[in-house]
Amino acid sequence: MGKTPDILCIGSVLWDIIGRTDHAMQAGNDKPGRITRLPGGVALNIAMTLTRFDLHPALLSVVGDDAEGHALLASCRAMGLDCDTVLIDPDLPTDQYMAIEAQGGLLAALADAHSLEAAGARILAPLHDGRLANAAAPWSGVVALDGNLTEGLLEEIAQSPAFGAADLRIAPASPGKAARLRPLLGHPRATLYVNCEEAGLLTGTKPAGAMAAADALIHAGARRVLVTDGPGVAVAAQADQRLVAQPPAITARRITGAGDTFMAAHIAAELAGVTGQAALARAIAAAAAYVSSDQPA
């Protein structure tokens, strides 16, 4: 391999197919809009944002040995991403995500990450075979994990010596997959990035806002959490500290990838030595800029 990565992004690397309209929509509607296909997936969204902060992330994921997979890797490499540790599987298709957004909000989405689930622990081989780390020298840097991995694999990661020295940063991928993160909820080296709904699903509560959600997660055993609530306040919390920041008032133009941008910007801030309230503010600013723009990432 070439340059040593600054961070590992483990999880979904796929094609996003996003339909957006400025019109109000409800189920069954047929409205004019724009449809785009662009590289996406939680791990890839995080990695793409990190490159904008002059960081060098490596991807651990899987794509098919098909036209879609090769085109996706070519796009990733053109953005400066390290794809040498992405598994290329001849027996699996490249994953996809499809969403419809109306007036800056998510109407519906389908995540087809079945190949990532099928590949399982094979995507982690570079952490064992010396390409990134091995048993004698485990990875000791930052690792961004996403909830598109199966609960079984996340549980294995929680217990694995290969991640025993890592700084784990974890995102659920979607509310529907939030429960998969339970094996990592009490991990002593983990930071969770969730929204209020995901926090409620993880803790079995119905938090009224980000502060209540953060309190519930800490009470459930989380070491450190960052909780967002759309236009409401965001909270960074650990046992002895609560930090609060209010997002700026904006007009939302898109939503898919906003949480990934928030997480990546916060990680980038901390890697640059910015901590606490200032790191939270940078993450909120990056997410707001992303949501208010209708330009491809």
Side-chain angles (χ1 to χ4, degrees):
M1 293 184 65
K3 182 181 177 183
T4 301
D6 299 305
I7 179 173
L8 308 183
C9 297
I10 305 177
S12 56
V13 171
L14 45 72
W15 284 111
D16 273 348
I17 301 166
I18 312 293
R20 292 190 175 98
T21 180
D22 291 330
H23 299 273
M25 284 194 74
Q26 57 186 8
N29 283 176
D30 183 340
K31 301 284 186 176
R34 299 284 184 184
I35 299 173
T36 58
R37 187 179 87 152
L38 65 163
V42 175
L44 180 49
N45 287 339
I46 292 168
M48 289 189 291
T49 302
L50 290 168
T51 63
R52 297 202 290 272
F53 292 95
D54 297 322
L55 292 169
H56 179 63
L59 296 165
L60 276 75
S61 187
V62 61
V63 299
D65 190 10
D66 50 24
E68 290 80 5
H70 291 293
L72 182 56
L73 290 181
S75 294
C76 291
R77 291 190 176 104
M79 291 184 281
L81 298 174
D82 187 339
C83 301
D84 290 349
T85 47
V86 174
L87 173 66
I88 301 174
D89 193 304
D91 300 317
L92 294 172
T94 298
D95 287 334
Q96 300 180 85
Y97 173 87
M98 180 173 62
I100 296 177
E101 298 180 5
Q103 297 182 322
L106 179 65
L107 182 67
L110 289 171
D112 182 355
H114 291 90
S115 291
L116 179 64
E117 294 181 358
R122 290 189 294 138
I123 69 169
L124 305 179
L127 292 169
H128 302 281
D129 62 16
R131 280 178 286 170
L132 291 170
N134 56 43
W139 178 264
S140 59
V142 178
V143 173
L145 288 172
D146 85 51
N148 284 301
L149 304 177
T150 64
E151 186 168 0
L153 184 53
L154 288 167
E155 186 170 357
E156 181 180 327
I157 288 170
Q159 301 170 359
S160 172
F163 293 87
D167 176 357
L168 297 178
R169 309 297 181 102
I170 305 164
S174 69
K177 295 176 180 176
R180 296 186 181 189
L181 300 187
R182 285 186 183 133
L184 288 156
L185 184 58
H187 195 285
R189 302 181 68 86
T191 301
L192 272 65
Y193 295 79
V194 298
N195 62 33
C196 279
E197 182 181 2
E198 293 159 347
L201 291 167
L202 267 170
T203 58
T205 63
K206 294 184 178 180
M211 183 62 76
D215 287 344
L217 286 164
I218 297 298
H219 181 73
R223 179 186 72 96
R224 186 168 77 135
V225 300
L226 284 92
V227 184
T228 56
D229 187 22
V233 298
V235 174
Q238 49 197 50
D240 59 349
Q241 184 183 65
R242 301 289 187 275
L243 302 175
V244 180
Q246 174 67 55
I250 59 169
T251 299
R253 304 298 304 274
R254 57 179 174 172
I255 193 65
T256 300
D260 308 332
T261 300
F262 174 88
M263 176 174 169
H266 187 262
I267 293 170
E270 293 198 327
L271 287 176
V274 179
T275 60
Q277 194 74 44
L280 179 60
R282 286 198 185 188
I284 286 176
Y290 176 89
V291 171
S292 61
S293 171
D294 58 3
Q295 299 302 310

